[in-house]
Amino acid sequence: MRIVVLGAGYAGLTLARRLEDALGPDHELIVVNDSPSHLVQHEIHRAIRRPAIAEGIVVPLTEVLDRATVRVAQVEGVDPDAKTVSLAAPPSAERAARAYDGKRANMGDDDGDGDSERAESEGTAIEIEGESERADSADDAGNGREECGGAEEGDETESVLAYDVCAVCLGAETDFQDVPGVAEHATPLKRLRDAERIREDFLSVLPEGGRVVICGAGLSGIQVAGELAALAREEGASEDCKILLTEALEEVAPAFSTEFSRAVCEELEDRSVEIRTNAPVERATEDGIVVDDEELATDQLLWTGGIRGPRALENERPVVRSTLELGEGTFLVGDAARVVDTNGAAVPASAQSAVREAGAVAKSIATIADHGDQGGFRPRLEPFTFDSPGWLVSVGDGAVAQVGPTVLRGKAAKALKTSVGAGYLTSVGAIGNAVDLAREELALSPD
Ligand SMILES: Cc1cc2nc3c(=O)[nH]c(=O)nc-3n(C[C@H](O)[C@H](O)[C@H](O)COP(=O)(O)OP(=O)(O)OC[C@H]3O[C@@H](n4cnc5c(N)ncnc54)[C@H](O)[C@@H]3O)c2cc1C
């Protein structure tokens, strides 16, 4: 049976690793991702203040997958009826991003001749759609663990990949909500190159002073505002620079409890971040935004105001019920889906949801693989119930944690934040990255 996992973010990587353990040797496991590395997205805001943290949050897939074939390609579309996926070479913008994201998994130049390159490591094969140059997936240390060869005779270069079972784990894209001018003038935060640009723009605003506006006070917006405030302080410019966080709904962190939201507000205000709620942005121009009929001059504009589905799903986030099946044999996991769990509750789009959903889907796929084709008999699939241990955000050097009904701040929350980030990396086998990340986090908050 051919099992295909599309995307190697939180959902895709967790799922692929579980399947590597659960599937028998007769089953083929292919992971398709537009980059040869996994990005720990929930720490990406840290790279605005500490670019070196990128070392800890970019994980070459060949280091954390064992027997799966990794195919570096752009998923263009999924047809659950035909059970096929259309693939293309990753676009050049993605390639440029990978040079940064995946710097420990360097690849050859794109000559666009449509060949695919195959490289073997101990158990993981990596294939690069549209590459004919040698693919070198060895890590920085040059320890030679991953020997990469040239293209093999008879190598498949299909742009249509057929599957028996597929899990679509392609994450989400930034949704600019069709607010006029926002897509043109605001920077989103999804990739390391976004963090790099936000840092550069902010450092160029600081010497003159000015106003930086972050639109959208969910997990990303809160954490970005905290990082910028801390960076301004470190640069000795917190007096001159105004950081404004706007939110269209009534509260900061509107998806979370009022206590959590209140604690986050206090942490932000302690760091001189101005907050405006009930303040949907009406339009943006090169020089400013209009909020509540008021024009605000803006020196830097950031957008963390929502997500939409990936392009391969026509920017939709289809609803899936508790088994997360989109169609028979096709699952939708993580931010790409609007998941409704067994209790009928909408599951928030988040890293922790994606990882938990992947656990349930891994059991279902392993069951399908075990039963094979039994003439119309369908094995029982694993139902998913979202049970969150709590929520955590960093606010510059501080943090706020909600654990059950208790909201924590100060050292306890900071310790939790560090251990959750490092714990996640350990759980996907990236022990070295976990150590790097913990070291960087501790450097960020030395007290
Ligand atoms: C700044 C920031 C802070 C955050 N903080 C938190 C937090 O504190 N806690 C929390 O729980 N969540 C947080 N999140 C949200 C969390 O990062 C997402 O919910 C999570 O990444 C979703 O996981 P996923 O596997 O669905 O998607 P992703 O992690 O986005 O993975 C999708 C994968 O698919 C690949 N891909 C996408 N399109 C294609 C394509 N067409 N072809 C091939 N490959 C493709 C991508 O490269 C990626 O590897 C934060 C997000 C941001 C941006």
Side-chain angles (χ1 to χ4, degrees):
M1 192 174 272
R2 177 184 277 176
I3 294 144
V4 173
V5 176
L6 304 179
Y10 295 83
L13 180 58
T14 304
L15 177 56
R17 282 176 54 88
R18 301 262 171 108
L19 290 176
E20 283 189 330
D21 288 342
L23 293 177
D26 297 341
H27 300 297
E28 187 185 7
L29 179 60
I30 300 175
V31 177
V32 181
N33 198 50
D34 55 9
S35 147
S37 46
H38 167 71
L39 175 64
V40 182
Q41 207 181 96
H42 82 271
E43 298 282 358
I44 201 172
H45 53 281
R46 294 298 209 191
I48 297 172
R49 186 157 51 117
R50 293 281 185 274
I53 215 157
E55 286 289 320
I57 65 172
V58 173
V59 184
L61 290 172
T62 48
E63 279 185 9
V64 286
L65 288 169
D66 183 19
R67 55 161 281 210
T69 295
V70 175
R71 198 150 168 175
V72 182
Q74 179 82 13
V75 176
E76 295 285 323
V78 183
D79 183 341
D81 296 327
K83 291 196 165 183
T84 56
V85 180
S86 34
L87 300 178
S92 52
E94 282 301 332
R95 286 169 179 276
R98 284 204 317 268
Y100 185 41
D101 283 3
K103 59 187 180 303
R104 282 190 283 176
N106 298 327
M107 300 189 314
D109 294 328
D110 177 17
D111 63 4
D113 65 2
D115 288 334
S116 135
E117 177 85 354
R118 185 179 169 89
E120 297 284 352
S121 69
E122 277 169 348
T124 316
I126 185 159
E127 295 177 1
I128 300 148
E129 206 77 13
E131 283 286 328
S132 67
E133 297 294 311
R134 176 189 162 84
D136 184 354
S137 60
D139 61 19
D140 267 346
N143 60 16
R145 194 172 76 85
E146 291 141 8
E147 271 297 306
C148 305
E152 289 183 353
E153 197 75 43
D155 217 12
E156 284 182 331
T157 57
E158 58 191 350
S159 57
V160 174
L161 179 65
Y163 63 81
D164 298 298
V165 180
C166 173
V168 182
C169 312
L170 294 173
E173 293 178 7
T174 301
D175 187 358
F176 295 105
Q177 318 254 13
D178 293 329
V179 179
V182 166
E184 294 83 352
H185 301 295
T187 311
L189 180 57
K190 267 287 173 194
R191 312 284 300 196
L192 278 168
R193 65 173 178 268
D194 300 328
E196 199 177 40
R197 183 173 159 202
I198 291 169
R199 175 183 170 83
E200 271 170 21
D201 290 351
F202 188 67
L203 290 177
S204 70
V205 166
L206 278 183
E208 301 293 319
R211 181 186 282 123
V212 178
V213 180
I214 303 137
C215 306
L219 296 174
S220 322
I222 291 164
Q223 298 185 107
V224 172
E227 287 306 303
L228 292 181
L231 183 54
R233 197 198 60 236
E234 286 176 8
E235 297 289 317
S238 36
E239 297 291 308
D240 314 316
C241 178
K242 302 210 176 326
I243 299 170
L244 169 64
L245 178 63
T246 68
E247 168 56 48
L249 300 177
E250 267 175 42
E251 287 183 324
V252 160
F256 303 93
S257 76
T258 306
E259 294 72 28
F260 185 75
S261 165
R262 195 173 300 136
V264 167
C265 275
E266 285 172 16
E267 290 285 333
L268 287 167
E269 283 165 354
D270 284 353
R271 291 163 175 79
S272 305
V273 174
E274 191 190 331
I275 296 168
R276 281 177 76 160
T277 51
N278 283 320
V281 175
E282 290 155 31
R283 62 176 187 277
T285 63
E286 202 176 331
D287 307 314
I289 53 167
V290 177
V291 187
D292 240 354
D293 289 336
E294 186 187 348
E295 282 189 35
L296 290 178
T298 306
D299 298 286
Q300 185 180 4
L301 185 61
L302 275 57
W303 183 263
T304 48
I307 56 169
R308 61 180 187 171
R311 203 156 40 93
L313 299 179
E314 291 164 356
N315 294 127
E316 295 295 327
R317 295 175 63 222
V319 174
V320 286
R321 306 268 155 196
S322 66
T323 58
L324 288 95
E325 252 192 325
L326 186 62
E328 198 175 317
T330 307
F331 295 84
L332 191 54
V333 194
D335 279 9
R338 289 175 204 273
V339 178
V340 178
D341 79 354
T342 25
N343 298 324
V347 179
S350 65
Q352 64 158 301
S353 313
V355 165
R356 284 171 172 71
E357 290 158 18
V361 170
K363 286 184 187 157
S364 294
I365 294 179
T367 306
I368 294 170
D370 281 350
H371 284 77
D373 184 2
Q374 297 195 352
F377 165 77
R378 294 210 70 211
R380 183 178 175 276
L381 302 182
E382 184 76 14
F384 173 68
T385 306
F386 183 56
D387 186 14
S388 167
W391 295 96
L392 261 171
V393 280
S394 66
V395 185
D397 291 337
V400 178
Q402 167 117 36
V403 186
T406 309
V407 173
L408 301 170
R409 292 160 69 171
K411 284 190 173 159
K414 283 197 280 186
L416 266 178
K417 179 78 184 155
T418 305
S419 60
V420 165
Y424 166 71
L425 281 163
T426 307
S427 79
V428 293
I431 313 295
N433 293 68
V435 173
D436 285 351
L437 182 65
R439 195 181 293 131
E440 285 294 334
E441 281 279 347
L442 293 170
L444 278 167
S445 38
D447 56 330

